Each structure stands twice: as C-alpha cells, then as structure tokens.
Amino acid sequence: MDKRKGIGLFGLIGMVISSCIGSGVFAITGQLAQVASPGSALIAWGVVGVGFMMLALSLANLGAKRPDLHGIFQYAEEGFGPFAGFISGWGYWLSAWLGNVAFATMMMSTLGYFFPAFLPGNTVPCILIASVIMWLLTLLVIRGVESASFLNAIVMVCKVASIAVFILFTLFLFNANVFTADFWGTLQNNMASMGELGADAVAIGSVGDQVKNCLIILMWTFVGIEGATVMSSRARKKSDVGKATVIGLICLLLIYISASVLPYGYLPYTEIAAMNYPAMLYVFDSMAPGWGGAFISIAIIISVMGSWLSFTILPAETTSDMAKRQLLPAAWGKMNAKNAPRFSLLIVGACTQVFMLTLIFSEDAYNFAFSLCTVAIVITWTLAAAYQAKYSAQNRQMGQLVIGAIAVLFQVVGVLLNGWTFLLLTCVGYIPGFFVYAKARKDQGRGLTTAEKAGMGIISALGVLSLVLLFTGFISF
C-alpha cells in the first residue's frame, strides 16, 4: 500500500482558508462601512464572488488537466514563456511577504485593545515585537514545511470557530430596520453634502462608486486562494488540489459575507465606519460587554498567526520551485535536511524585516501593505487565468474558455478601477528581481532575449515613474 507522505485534502483546504482568513475578515466590516452602504456592499460581494469563483474553477481545471505543472507561476511559464513565468512567480513572492507586513500591523493594532500604547500598530515597540514573531515563524518553517502545514490546519479550525461565534451573535441581534435604514447610502450622501456629519465627512458616492471602492478591499480577503495550487507538489493526491480550492472558496464566501454585512443590522454602518481597526473587535465588544473584545482579540491573534505561517511557507515554496525551473539561481531552491528551502525563507524574512521598518513612517500602514500585496498577486492570478483561457481555446473547450476569460477580465478591471497607483508602485519591486532572473539565465548559458529586455525596460520605467509621481505628490498612498 502506498503510504506516501504529503499534504491531504484537509490540509490543503486548511492552507486555502488559513491563507485567506488572516486580518482582512476582522477589519473588513469597518473598511466597507467607510466606502459603501449595505446594499452596495452586497452588490460588490456578488461581483467579487463571481470573479473569484471563475478564478477558482480555472485553477481547479488546470490542476486536473495539467497535473504535471506545480505551482501557480508554472501556468504563466507554460502558456507564455519563461519571462512570463518569472513575472508571475516574482509577483506572487512580492505579494506574500507584503501580506506578512499587513499581518504584523494588524496583530500589533489588536494588542492595542489591551495596551493602547501599541496603537496604531506601527510604533517602534510594535515593529520590534513583530520582528521577533516573524523570525520565530521563519525558524519553524525551516524545521519542516509539511509539519507546519498540519499546524496551520489546526489553527484554521480555531479561527473559523471564533468567527462563527461572532456571526451567531450578529444573527441573533440582527435588526432589519437598522440594516435597511440607509440601504443605498443616499442619506449618508445627503448629510455629508450638507455638512451635518462634521467637517471631515465625505459623501460615499453613487452605488457604482461605492462598489468600485470596495473592490481592492474585498480582493485582499482572497489573497491565499491559490494556496493549495502553490503547495501542489507536496499534495498527497493531485486531484485534491482543485477540490480544496473550490471548497475553500465556498466556505470563505459564506464566512466573509456574513461577518462583513450582518453587523450593519446591529449598528448603523456610519457608526461602524468610525471605529478603530479592526472594527469586528469593537462591534463584538458592544455585543458582549466584558468579554467580547478580549475574545475577538485572541481570535485575531490566532488567525493572523495562521495566515502569517502560511505566507511564510508560500513565497519560499514558490521561489524554490522557480529555481528548479531555472527562473531563479539554484541557491533559491536548495533544501535543508527537513526538506525546507532555507535560503529562500531567509530572503523572505530579510525583505519583510526591511519593509517593516519603513512602516514607522506610514500614516496608514495596514492599508498600504495590504493594497500592495493585493495588486502584486493580481498579476499572478491574471496570468494563470489567461493560461486557462489559452489552454481551453487550444483544446476547444468553450465553457472553460469563458470561465478563464471572465477571470482575466475581473482581475484586470478590478485593479485598473481601484488600484492602478499601487500597480505602478509594484513595478518597483520587480527591478531587483530582474537582476536575479538575468543571473539565473546566465547560469544556464542563456542570455536575455530582446523581448525580455524590452519587458524589463517598460516595467522598470513604470516603477521609476511611480516614484517620481509619489515624491512630487501627484499620487499618494
């Protein structure tokens, strides 16, 4: 009997859910309330739900049809060449460790509930504590990726259970009159325009504007949906990868919509919008005085630790696989005695550490980190969905072609409408990567092609442009 070790279906589902449910689900109620009314938030969830279901179905289909490809970046490489594979993999790598920075900020903000000196989450003591946690997680993964994945599945159960308690409270205390009082945001717009909400208040705009402003916020909560695909080379059964992605997405949609929208039936969304991050903490503190705030705070810490662990594993796993495909130097793929990519993990830790230090000077460190993280991974998602469309067209599978095309359209439109400035800034992160890619190709006795040099030049120019626009104040974050 084959008793080959690897990550089973439960572990893969845990990777998907734990990678996604980190800080976003706890902050999203307040973030949505700042830009959208209940009705518009529901429409936004519908749009994003369809878009990500198309992406999940694309990943599931590719996993079934091309089980020989391991890791999400290989779809881009197979479909569009090695440079596209590098762009996809490096974007994923950037996204993952930037996500760790967002997790660190959220965890420190949560500690601010008990110790106000930690607010808003990016002070010097916060950075020091977060750095210690980050390096401890790195050392844990260095000791063995698969054992860390099992721990991640246990964390998944704990944090989903705590969120379920919050959802049950919101269902029990739900008041339809509160929920529908300003369902489309017209009252909020009128009061803001008349100055009745204070000098700093602004109208949230039309339903279309509200939905548009929700997109990056909601897309951030699905960073990690590709977790099972990234770990496919370690899956016990390749067929479990697609199942885990779709099952994980369905669970996430149920959790996210309930946790983010139901609270608007307990308190007016305008009140929730004024709460500190993470809003769920303070909403539940009101629902369950005396213990609610502490309960959610502990849940957030456990949840963030689970996602932080996942996002320590995933970028190192990706760069290790890229090295095997000769898209990065061989050192990035070297495994230690525990079958963990030690060099890649240390690089991720160093980059995370440097970016953490810069957050001391950021006014809204959490929003900045999660927005960059989201836009970077959209590049990876889009290339994977594009390969789904190309592969399906080549094999005359029209239904799958439509699924891939919708997934591509959703990702591209979502970023251009609500995150183009972050897309420009993400180009900066590719510039050092080009030197690494060039070295990998040189090590294999292959020079850069004219098309690759042109691509590097365009992306680098956009990165420099973003810095110029930033320092001249034309764009801000």
Side-chain angles (χ1 to χ4, degrees):
M1 179 180 292
D2 182 11
K3 293 186 178 180
R4 181 170 62 92
K5 290 184 179 181
I7 305 173
L9 178 61
F10 181 70
L12 291 170
I13 293 173
M15 182 63 69
V16 173
I17 295 178
S18 277
S19 297
C20 291
I21 298 181
S23 58
V25 67
F26 299 101
I28 195 170
T29 299
Q31 290 178 300
L32 287 184
Q34 292 174 354
V35 299
S37 60
S40 300
L42 286 172
I43 292 175
W45 272 122
V47 172
V48 171
V50 170
F52 275 98
M53 181 56 73
M54 296 301 102
L55 177 63
L57 291 174
S58 295
L59 295 177
N61 180 61
L62 291 173
K65 302 289 177 57
R66 294 299 309 267
D68 55 310
L69 300 178
H70 307 302
I72 192 169
F73 76 91
Q74 291 190 25
Y75 297 141
E77 181 188 11
E78 182 71 13
F80 311 105
F83 186 63
F86 166 78
I87 292 295
S88 175
W90 195 261
Y92 186 82
W93 180 78
L94 286 172
S95 173
W97 63 260
L98 285 169
N100 286 342
V101 176
F103 298 145
T105 306
M106 175 59 72
M107 181 180 287
M108 295 303 104
S109 296
T110 301
L111 289 176
Y113 175 80
F114 301 104
F115 310 103
F118 281 89
L119 293 173
N122 61 334
T123 61
V124 172
C126 290
I127 300 300
L128 291 175
I129 294 174
S131 298
V132 171
I133 295 172
M134 182 268 294
W135 285 112
L136 287 175
L137 288 175
T138 300
L139 291 175
L140 172 64
V141 178
I142 286 175
R143 292 180 61 83
V145 172
E146 290 177 9
S147 59
S149 296
F150 175 76
L151 176 61
N152 201 42
I154 301 301
V155 172
M156 175 195 71
V157 174
C158 295
K159 63 186 180 183
V160 170
S162 63
I163 295 170
V165 171
F166 174 78
I167 292 173
L168 288 174
F169 266 74
T170 58
L171 284 169
F172 182 76
L173 297 173
F174 187 84
N175 185 325
N177 291 329
V178 175
F179 188 73
T180 59
D182 188 19
F183 194 68
W184 298 112
T186 53
L187 179 61
Q188 163 75 354
N189 287 330
N190 291 337
M191 294 181 70
S193 62
M194 292 187 293
E196 295 182 16
L197 294 179
D200 296 330
V202 295
I204 56 179
S206 66
V207 171
D209 289 336
Q210 294 175 52
V211 171
K212 181 189 73 172
N213 292 332
C214 289
L215 292 180
I216 289 296
I217 297 171
L218 299 188
M219 291 170 77
W220 153 243
T221 63
F222 290 102
V223 172
I225 193 66
E226 70 298 319
T229 303
V230 173
M231 299 299 291
S232 62
S233 63
R234 297 177 183 267
R236 194 172 302 152
K237 295 180 180 179
K238 301 303 180 187
S239 59
D240 286 343
V241 174
K243 294 177 186 177
T245 301
V246 175
I247 292 171
L249 175 63
I250 293 171
C251 293
L252 288 167
L253 282 171
L254 292 173
I255 293 168
Y256 285 157
I257 295 173
S258 299
S260 65
V261 178
L262 287 177
Y264 300 152
Y266 172 69
L267 289 173
Y269 73 94
T270 51
E271 290 187 24
I272 296 176
M275 292 180 172
N276 289 327
Y277 285 163
M280 183 186 288
L281 189 163
Y282 298 97
V283 171
F284 199 58
D285 193 36
S286 174
M287 291 179 173
W291 65 275
F295 176 82
I296 291 296
S297 294
I298 294 171
I300 292 173
I301 292 172
I302 293 174
S303 178
V304 169
M305 286 293 286
S307 281
W308 203 340
L309 175 60
S310 292
F311 275 67
T312 301
I313 297 171
L314 295 176
E317 190 75 9
T318 297
T319 52
S320 175
D321 287 342
M322 289 175 70
K324 294 175 184 177
R325 303 284 291 190
Q326 301 176 356
L327 300 179
L328 292 178
W332 292 68
K334 187 177 180 180
M335 298 292 179
N336 63 9
K338 297 290 186 179
N339 199 31
R342 183 174 180 271
F343 178 80
S344 292
L345 286 164
L346 292 175
I347 292 292
V348 168
C351 292
T352 306
Q353 183 68 82
V354 171
F355 200 77
M356 275 186 187
L357 295 175
T358 67
L359 293 185
I360 297 174
F361 308 101
S362 174
E363 294 183 3
D364 195 343
Y366 177 72
N367 279 340
F368 181 65
F370 91 69
S371 296
L372 276 178
C373 168
T374 304
V375 169
I377 203 170
V378 164
I379 298 169
T380 306
W381 288 338
T382 302
L383 287 169
Y387 178 59
Q388 153 82 354
K390 179 179 179 179
Y391 179 86
S392 301
Q394 290 173 337
N395 291 273
R396 299 186 179 182
Q397 299 170 347
M398 299 310 297
Q400 293 294 338
L401 170 60
V402 171
I403 288 173
I406 293 174
V408 171
L409 182 65
F410 167 72
Q411 301 296 337
V412 172
V413 172
V415 167
L416 292 181
L417 284 178
N418 199 219
W420 67 269
T421 54
F422 291 102
L423 182 60
L424 279 179
L425 197 59
T426 301
C427 292
V428 177
Y430 275 94
I431 295 175
F434 292 147
F435 293 96
V436 180
Y437 176 73
K439 183 180 187 306
R441 305 308 282 175
K442 183 178 180 181
D443 290 344
Q444 299 300 320
R446 304 174 185 175
L448 297 175
T449 67
T450 302
E452 289 175 336
K453 292 178 181 178
M456 290 179 179
I458 293 171
I459 294 172
S460 299
L462 290 174
V464 173
L465 175 63
S466 72
L467 294 177
V468 172
L469 295 177
L470 180 64
F471 290 129
T472 57
F474 187 81
I475 59 175
S476 59
F477 301 99

